[in-house]
Amino acid sequence: MARKQPQTADSLPLVALDLGSDSVRAMAARRIAPDLFQILGVEERSQKLGNVCVEQGIITQSSNAGYVIAEVLKLLANRIGIDELPTAFLSVGGQSMQIVAVHSKRDQARRKEISQALLDEMEQECKEKIEMRNPDVSVLGLVPSFFTLDGVEQDEIPSPEQRAALVEAHYIAFYGRKAIDTQLQKAFSQAGRSIEHVFVRPECLLSAFATCDGNHVLANGCAVLDLGAQTTSLAVYKGGQYLMNKVVPKGGYHITRMLEQQGMSFATAEVLKKQFGCAAPAYIQKNVRLRVPAAPEIGGEMVIAADELAEAIELKLREILEPLMTELKKVEERIQILYITGGGSMLQGMAEYIQSLTPLRVTYGAHNLLLHRDTEEKYLSPAYTSLVGTLLLGQDYRDNHKNQPVRQPGFFDRMKESTLDMFIDQN
């Protein structure tokens, strides 16, 4: 009997997974032209419908996360009409993620081609350098900074056609607590799925923006303000390196909690924020009075004016943004543009409000040029930029790692993780 050939990743649709604090999203797509994708399907599962398993970008319950990952990927496979999606690209962020520069050098003895295997080996060496120095951390992602080939520096990753004897590779490493990586691996193992590759969220966002606006934004310097559900982050990038990556453990969820204190339920506060929320009273177009149900323990109805709603939002928004804008001020003379993105950035007047805090040009980051013109408008929202950026980086990864076999955790892998979780829970 002929042996069954192992399935390769590039025979499958591209799948990007976003483990958000409010929901887990998965997007499947296929490339139809260079840097142009057609979305095949999107699935999402809100954490509010079950036990919360991701908080501030970190998996807190690997068994729950594994269940959600398996469910979302199964639904996505059904939606696009295939049997299974065994692997996915993943973007990670979170409060504890930090950055450091690291490099590797190889002397090939003579001028010869620079293979992908050599570059992968150098990247792995950089990862191991950091983790050996500090056993309590894991490298979550390595972003190429620049390369030196026989003493000549270049920003681009060496192509297979280039030749050199002495090769130096410089990276910016994003690292965090080892538990972050451990929990990710456990969750995917319990889901019976594999991680094709992990990217860091700032790199996914910047790649999307640079592809749409031109790589000059990276050379001239830019910042990305990413407003999420439970975290808000600021990444500053210029000419091949990250100048800063700072995270505040507060986001849109905390704004909703602030509104909840006005005497309404969390669900009502969330609806009000999304439909009528404004970053500050100055940006309200019409000061209407809103009649909404009061919290169940109070009963009846309550009335809140749009300017009162905006005042409460601005109070919390100022608290979230102040430490980030203070850090941005230190480097704003070195960069030219501030992108805003993330689901929390959709408050009315948000761009104008942030523009009032900085002399930099402020604009929403876009990813529309990466998607086919018939894409549904909702997928052009900033809430989906990270997923699209992950697809973009994922396709680049596949181009450089052709015919890579899919590794799918087996029954005994999942049993081992479940048994370990059982003992951890008992202890």
Side-chain angles (χ1 to χ4, degrees), residues 252-273:
Y253 169 87
H254 300 87
I255 293 175
T256 305
R257 283 296 184 204
M258 166 72 82
L259 299 179
E260 183 185 25
Q261 294 173 13
Q262 306 295 313
M264 64 191 79
S265 69
F266 182 90
T268 298
E270 183 73 6
V271 171
L272 274 182
K273 182 186 74 174

Side-chain angles (χ1 to χ4, degrees), residues 33 59 79 83 123 128 134 139 207 248 260 269 278 295 320 336:
I59 290 178
R79 178 174 291 277
D83 292 336
E123 186 173 321
E128 291 172 355
N134 189 343
V139 173
S207 296
V248 171
E260 183 185 25
C278 203
I320 294 169
Q336 295 187 352

Side-chain angles (χ1 to χ4, degrees), residues 361-374:
R361 182 166 74 90
V362 176
T363 184
Y364 279 99
H367 60 267
N368 59 304
L369 296 182
L370 289 166
L371 299 177
H372 189 269
R373 64 179 180 273
D374 292 336

